[in-house]
Amino acid sequence: IRSESIGNIIKKRPEQVYIQTFHGHGPIKKGGFEIEENKKGQEYKNGLLNHCKEWDVYISMCELEEKHIIDSTGFNKKIIRLGIPSTDYNKDIKNNELLKKFNIPKDKKVILYAPTYRSDLLGQENINIRIESLKKLTDYVVLVRLHPLLNSKINKKLFDDSNFINVCEEEDIVNLYLITDILISDYSASIYEFALTGKKIFFLEKK
């Protein structure tokens, strides 16, 4: 069972069953046959199409995602629709515990800034997050969490301002939804997970 490729870790044996759960949700991101025909895109496209040939079962969240994965990869084996397991929120975690953990005043509302993975940032150090304008929102604190592959690379100077709080090391982003009033993201899977809370989502598009 894997949420990404196993090709660079182990070789699938003929008698094994490979269940692909995929770590991102929804048909927003392009993949497979949808990838642009340039050198970098072609390498990614070939890798994904070769990868999906190993799948025996695909776990999907909805009918729309199933159509997307079939159209973009040609996958023609078993699909099981199970929704999004990550949205089974941990009810044992109390809001007050999280507010205390991150020293968030109870009279402040919470914005969670959680963009998705950006390959062009992977090789950088001290990544600058251009969200300084949010400091004007004095009634809010801003929790900042990047993609797990980028979390350690964020420029910590952003957190010199007490309105910005570094939550990059929080093990499960879903826990943060419990104390968040507004999510700011792009095409991250978090938009699907957070939508179930009924709270506001703002989409920040990279120019």
Side-chain angles (χ1 to χ4, degrees), residues 45 49 55 59 71 103 117 122 128 167 181 185-186 188 190 200:
K45 175 180 178 179
L49 294 179
W55 305 346
I59 305 299
D71 291 347
N103 296 316
Y117 170 74
L122 190 58
N128 291 312
V167 295
D181 298 290
S185 189
D186 40 30
S188 167
S190 61
K200 292 182 180 180

Side-chain angles (χ1 to χ4, degrees), residues 74-183:
F75 181 71
N76 60 1
K77 299 178 185 176
K78 187 173 183 178
I79 295 177
I80 301 176
R81 191 183 306 167
L82 293 179
I84 309 176
S86 60
T87 57
D88 296 332
Y89 298 141
N90 188 344
K91 299 301 183 182
D92 294 330
I93 295 180
K94 306 299 182 184
N95 288 8
N96 288 341
E97 293 176 7
L98 291 170
L99 293 173
K100 185 177 180 180
K101 178 179 180 179
F102 298 113
N103 296 316
I104 300 173
K106 291 184 179 180
D107 62 341
K108 296 267 191 176
K109 292 187 177 181
V110 177
I111 295 173
L112 173 61
Y113 175 68
T116 192
Y117 170 74
R118 300 283 185 179
S119 60
D120 58 320
L121 297 178
L122 190 58
Q124 297 185 27
E125 298 295 335
N126 292 320
I127 298 171
N128 291 312
I129 307 301
R130 304 298 185 185
I131 56 173
E132 293 90 346
S133 60
L134 293 178
K135 70 174 62 175
K136 299 176 183 178
L137 303 176
T138 55
D139 293 335
Y140 291 82
V141 295
V142 182
L143 308 183
V144 179
R145 180 188 169 91
L146 303 188
H147 186 278
L149 292 177
L150 302 175
N151 276 337
S152 63
K153 299 174 179 291
I154 191 170
N155 190 334
K156 303 299 191 300
K157 288 184 178 180
L158 177 68
F159 306 112
D160 289 344
D161 189 304
S162 60
N163 266 22
F164 295 99
I165 300 175
N166 186 352
V167 295
C168 288
E169 301 305 318
E170 177 65 20
E171 184 176 359
D172 191 347
I173 189 174
V174 171
N175 294 338
L176 300 175
Y177 301 155
L178 300 174
I179 58 171
T180 296
D181 298 290
I182 297 174
L183 172 67

